[in-house]
Amino acid sequence: MAQKSLERRVEVLEKRVDILEQLPERVRAVELQIVQLREDLRGEFSALRAEIRAGDEDTRRVLRDEMRELFADNQRQMRILHEDVIARIATIRQG
């Protein structure tokens, strides 16, 4: 009976050793996956930053164009008001 118990213990030990022998290979596989993930994330973040920069540039261009239009419109309105004031002053002087 002691012999069977010893044989069983040896079998269990051999299975454990087999599992442990596979461990370095599995760790290397996980390490490679992590390295690949890091590379993928780095690439994706770089692309995202480039898109954000492009969006920022587009936003600046649009805002700059809108500001120019608003400034030109403001100048036109100021000219109209100025001419109106000059005309009113002329009317007041004429009596």
Side-chain angles (χ1 to χ4, degrees), residues 2 7 9 17-18 21 23-24 33 36-37 40 44-45 47 49 60 64 67 69 78 84 88 90 92 94:
E7 288 176 8
R9 288 173 62 193
V17 168
D18 287 342
E21 285 176 343
L23 191 59
Q33 290 176 349
Q36 182 63 43
L37 177 63
D40 291 348
E44 291 297 321
F45 278 121
R49 282 193 297 268
R60 281 190 204 102
R64 190 172 38 247
M67 290 297 290
E69 289 176 25
M78 287 173 56
D84 185 47
R88 287 182 185 198
I92 290 171
Q94 291 175 358

Side-chain angles (χ1 to χ4, degrees), residues 1 5-6 10 21 28-29 40 45 47-48 54 57 63 66 72 74 85 87 91-92 94-95:
M1 216 188 253
S5 176
L6 181 61
V10 169
E21 285 176 343
R28 274 192 295 278
D40 291 348
F45 278 121
L48 180 61
E57 290 171 12
L63 288 176
E66 287 179 8
N74 190 31
V85 166
T91 302
I92 290 171
Q94 291 175 358

